Amino acid sequence: MPGEESVLTVDVDIAVHPLDDPVRASLRGEHSRFARWTGRIGRYEPEVARFVGHPAVLDEQDWADLGTVLGSGGSAGIRGLGHVVPSAWTVLGEFGTVQMDGARLRVALDPELETLTAADVPEILELIARTEPGPYAPRTIEMGTYLGLRVEGRLVAMAGERLHPPGWTEISAVCTDAEFRGRGIASRLIRAVGAGIRARGETPFLHAVAHNTTAISLYETLGFTVRKTSKLTLVQAP
């Protein structure tokens, strides 16, 4: 039910639903070319994304493997509830998250938007730095299709595809320059990215920080529904 963390397993390492373990599901499938594995811990190449995938419950070996993946003093976000962080590790912080199902998203193509390419990455990173929608690395654009809106040649808004578990694609990096907000641009971008996902026979989904109620309300007006709430715990290796 929405509002509950419910990662069910049929054995110690296989999630019932792709969205219960979207990072490792992506790394085992569509994004396998970016994957680096140490035991049950999967990670993206750092230039692509900083995400680390892990089992719902980490055992002693998993924490050791995570430490190997991160290196001395490295940090990562651990998803889920009830994690017992080893005493040698440092908890840097934690915050609530919301995962939203876009099966009912009302999609629409938008001819004013352009498909962004690797040549646009410098502008993308500048926009990300100004708007802070979340992490974006130099090669994140390789994870999927990113659409942008230009005004007088300047990139002022964008959104695109990130995690890609089987049958699903995450919409992410939704951002608009401050001076252009309030014009419905984010909604246009979400619907257009969703149209591309739907055209492949897949379903959009997304994540939001639980306290960002403004964004969550926008997503709900577009047709997204809350699938579950969870928590992200930021940990630092010894």
Side-chain angles (χ1 to χ4, degrees):
M1 295 176 61
E4 296 181 356
E5 176 72 10
S6 56
V7 180
L8 303 177
T9 56
V10 294
D11 66 22
V12 296
D13 197 32
I14 302 174
V16 171
H17 194 288
L19 296 191
D20 289 340
D21 192 359
V23 176
R24 291 194 304 167
S26 300
L27 291 172
R28 287 170 174 149
E30 184 69 22
H31 287 167
S32 60
R33 63 191 183 281
F34 304 131
R36 299 290 181 268
W37 291 94
T38 301
R40 300 196 299 171
I41 305 298
R43 65 173 294 183
Y44 278 86
E45 295 177 4
E47 288 289 296
V48 175
R50 297 290 182 178
F51 299 122
V52 172
H54 55 81
V57 178
L58 285 79
D59 61 23
E60 183 177 353
Q61 185 60 53
D62 294 326
W63 283 105
D65 290 338
L66 181 59
T68 298
V69 165
L70 297 178
S72 177
S75 61
I78 303 300
R79 293 165 301 283
L81 305 175
H83 293 300
V84 179
V85 181
S87 59
W89 289 66
T90 302
V91 176
L92 301 176
E94 58 185 30
F95 54 87
T97 61
V98 175
Q99 185 183 77
M100 305 190 76
D101 182 331
R104 298 180 181 178
L105 172 65
R106 296 179 293 278
V107 303
L109 297 173
D110 193 324
E112 291 189 39
L113 305 178
E114 67 174 72
T115 301
L116 302 175
T117 70
D120 299 305
V121 167
E123 279 188 281
I124 290 172
L125 294 177
E126 290 176 2
L127 178 61
I128 293 292
R130 293 195 302 272
T131 57
E132 300 182 333
Y136 199 98
R139 292 177 55 204
T140 298
I141 197 167
E142 298 177 27
M143 298 178 78
T145 300
Y146 282 82
L147 302 179
L149 177 69
R150 292 186 183 277
V151 175
E152 297 180 352
R154 179 164 67 98
L155 184 66
V156 300
M158 63 173 283
E161 302 173 355
R162 193 167 64 178
L163 298 179
H164 200 152
W168 299 77
T169 299
E170 181 189 27
I171 297 178
S172 183
V174 182
C175 57
T176 305
D177 260 332
E179 63 186 289
F180 293 96
R181 292 173 187 165
R183 306 184 187 183
I185 296 173
S187 297
R188 291 169 55 190
L189 283 159
I190 292 168
R191 287 175 172 149
V193 174
I197 295 169
R198 193 74 57 73
R200 298 195 299 264
E202 298 173 348
T203 305
F205 75 105
L206 55 76
H207 292 98
V209 179
H211 63 70
N212 192 352
T213 55
T214 300
I216 293 170
S217 295
L218 169 63
Y219 300 146
E220 288 177 330
T221 65
L222 296 175
F224 283 91
T225 57
V226 174
R227 179 175 180 266
K228 70 175 180 181
T229 61
S230 187
K231 184 171 70 174
L232 190 73
T233 303
L234 304 178
V235 297
Q236 184 177 45

